Amino acid sequence: MTVASGAKDTSRLDGASVAYGVSRLDGVSVAYGVSGLDGVSVAYGVSGLDGVSAAHGASRANATSPANATSPANAASAVKGAPRVGAGPRSAILDHTPPLGAGRAPAAERTHMAGATPPEQQPRGRTTMRDVAALAGVGIKTVSRVINGEPNVSAAKQEAVWAAVAQTGFRRNDSAALLRQGHTSSIGLVLEDAADPFSSALTRSIQDVAHEHGTVLFSASSAEDPVKERDLALAFCARRVDGLIVVPASGSHTYLRPELEAGMACVFVDRPPLGIEADTVLVDNIGGAREGVEQLIRYGHRRIAFVGDRLEIFTARQRLRGYRDALAEAGLDVDPALVYNGLPHHDTTRAWLRDVLASDAPPTGVFCGNSRCTVETLRAIAQSPVRPALVGFDDFELADLLVPAVTVVAQDPFGIGRTAAQLLFRRLEGDTTPVQHIHMRTRLVPRGSGEIRP
């Protein structure tokens, strides 16, 4: 959490409220943009002028305000000499500041205080049910009944309320009602990298299933960082998502044990968790890699290189094992000089590819452990006189349009995501069968690059 220079760090672990950019000028305290991270209230431009505190555009959600200085409708204000803005048990705003108005600057100077936003330019905040009631000329309870579709409201009042809703742009806050029901109609997804084509397809398929169940999907990328993954997963849990789908980074997942024991539904995708038992949806990485290497062997290749991701990654280890198994079944030895594992988009990977292709005994065939490795290998081949046969694990965009088109071992990210999401929602609906480990099959797609003979 970052707080502007000169401001007291007022963040709270429960996320109740935070003051951004609190400044003090000539003894006058001004808070610009007080934000309630728990979605409770937002107050913009609280200022102390003539010893009186006014909240411009403050709003309330579910009739609760952390600052106890609520909405324009009830015109809340602090009397002269109030000890601080937002005094109350959930307030974290301007603690230990002098009384508002103490030592204030002359009126002419206060009119143009540095950084102050004129009231007419300040955001008005979210429309509240109280605002709708005032505009419609009815009580708040009547607005609530109309919004929630309850009976015993006259047609005239219903028409007035809906007209006020349309005019103000009011949106109902469902958070409190959902929590009272024991669920939030939301699930969390922690990915490796949202920009990766596999992750994009996975997200889309999970989102489709969530939509079918009237549920919102929240997603975030861990960048293969176990600490970031843990922080994201626990942040979703703290926001009471109904379930989690995780593409795990390397490292222990025991941090989720308390959540699982408390009833949290969780499905791991692409890689199994470490340290806990949980539902998983995996791909047959060993079998798919073995089939891809066997295709190269079938076309006469005996010196076959392997280019894969870091060995800390489960799928990289599994696909290397499939490569080794295929060579062993064909009676071929593994040459360590032809095996590389590392970050795909890294200078060391490019240097290794350049060196191995320029060696006295270059490989006649190359098997790549994922689409990123395949792309880097294609770049290296384009700059080399050597043209080895190539098979890659994972399909990728335009692979079929290259010359020759790239032979791949394709997996189905849409099917994987849909299977994982359906399993998660079965758990949310009460399925208590033992932990499931589902393995999805791969498919060899011959296109030309893997069918080139030595």
Side-chain angles (χ1 to χ4, degrees):
M1 185 63 63
T2 302
V3 181
S5 175
K8 175 180 174 62
D9 185 349
T10 56
S11 62
R12 291 173 47 140
L13 291 179
D14 61 1
S17 63
V18 180
Y20 295 93
V22 181
S23 63
R24 296 175 58 187
L25 300 173
D26 298 320
V28 179
S29 297
V30 183
Y32 305 99
V34 180
S35 169
L37 295 184
D38 56 358
V40 177
S41 74
V42 180
Y44 296 94
V46 181
S47 62
L49 298 177
D50 298 323
V52 180
S53 169
H56 300 287
S59 67
R60 300 198 305 173
N62 299 326
T64 305
S65 167
N68 292 334
T70 55
S71 69
N74 61 8
S77 64
V79 297
K80 181 176 181 179
R84 66 178 187 271
V85 177
R90 287 181 59 79
S91 174
I93 306 170
L94 303 182
D95 285 338
H96 309 298
T97 59
L100 290 176
R104 60 185 182 278
E109 296 180 22
R110 297 200 306 271
T111 302
H112 300 288
M113 287 189 296
T117 304
E120 64 274 11
Q121 297 181 15
Q122 294 170 357
R124 63 179 177 83
R126 292 186 182 275
T127 302
T128 67
M129 199 173 288
R130 188 182 298 275
D131 299 329
V132 174
L135 184 60
V138 299
I140 294 178
K141 185 61 177 176
T142 299
V143 175
S144 177
R145 286 174 178 155
V146 172
I147 297 297
N148 291 298
E150 297 178 11
N152 303 322
V153 181
S154 69
K157 289 184 177 180
Q158 289 187 45
E159 184 177 349
V161 169
W162 287 121
V165 167
Q167 184 174 337
T168 60
F170 173 78
R171 293 291 182 272
R172 182 177 64 181
N173 187 334
D174 290 333
S175 300
L178 290 171
L179 286 172
R180 285 195 298 270
Q181 296 169 16
H183 64 85
T184 60
S185 293
S186 64
I187 60 174
L189 170 62
V190 181
L191 298 159
E192 171 196 355
D193 181 3
D196 182 75
F198 175 85
S199 296
S200 300
L202 192 75
T203 301
R204 175 58 187 273
S205 59
I206 293 172
Q207 179 178 303
D208 288 345
V209 176
H211 182 72
E212 292 168 6
H213 288 79
T215 297
V216 175
L217 173 67
F218 300 111
S219 65
S221 301
S222 70
E224 284 287 357
D225 182 344
V227 174
K228 189 173 182 180
E229 175 213 292
R230 181 197 64 204
D231 291 346
L232 290 170
L234 291 180
F236 283 142
C237 293
R239 285 157 178 78
R240 297 296 185 264
V241 294
D242 299 329
L244 276 178
I245 297 177
V246 181
V247 179
S250 55
S252 173
H253 296 91
T254 54
Y255 67 86
L256 279 174
R257 183 172 290 131
E259 303 295 335
L260 296 175
E261 292 175 349
M264 166 72 75
C266 187
V267 177
F268 287 83
V269 174
D270 196 45
R271 310 160 191 177
L274 296 177
I276 60 173
E277 271 292 309
D279 293 323
T280 56
V281 179
L282 308 176
V283 170
D284 182 10
N285 293 288
I286 296 175
R290 183 170 56 240
E291 187 176 17
V293 176
E294 286 173 348
Q295 180 76 346
L296 292 170
I297 294 172
R298 187 177 298 113
Y299 278 82
H301 296 278
R302 296 296 179 265
R303 285 187 59 76
I304 302 172
F306 177 88
V307 184
D309 215 320
R310 295 166 297 157
L311 288 176
E312 305 95 270
I313 300 173
F314 171 80
T315 52
R317 297 194 302 272
Q318 293 278 290
R319 293 167 192 176
L320 176 59
R321 178 179 165 185
Y323 161 83
R324 293 178 180 275
D325 287 353
L327 293 182
E329 290 172 7
L332 302 174
D333 294 330
V334 175
D335 184 350
L338 297 180
V339 176
Y340 178 86
N341 284 92
L343 287 168
H345 302 310
H346 197 274
D347 290 343
T348 56
T349 304
R350 299 182 184 112
W352 184 88
L353 285 165
R354 183 172 57 250
D355 291 346
V356 77
L357 292 174
S359 65
D360 294 336
T364 62
V366 178
F367 180 77
C368 297
N370 60 37
S371 60
R372 288 169 292 185
C373 292
T374 304
V375 170
E376 287 301 327
T377 301
L378 286 169
R379 289 193 175 110
I381 291 174
Q383 299 171 9
S384 169
V386 177
R387 291 290 188 271
L390 175 67
V391 177
F393 201 112
D394 284 346
D395 207 351
F396 60 97
E397 192 172 6
L398 304 182
D400 57 330
L401 298 182
L402 297 176
V403 181
V406 180
T407 296
V408 298
V409 176
Q411 49 183 335
D412 179 13
F414 286 99
I416 295 168
R418 189 166 190 85
T419 299
Q422 289 172 339
L423 176 55
L424 181 72
F425 280 102
R426 285 201 302 273
R427 295 301 190 192
L428 292 175
E429 292 164 0
D431 182 353
T432 58
T433 56
V435 167
Q436 296 187 34
H437 302 290
I438 300 173
H439 287 78
M440 309 287 288
R441 294 183 60 83
T442 59
R443 179 171 58 93
L444 179 68
V445 184
R447 291 184 178 137
S449 70
E451 292 69 50
I452 299 172
R453 294 189 177 276

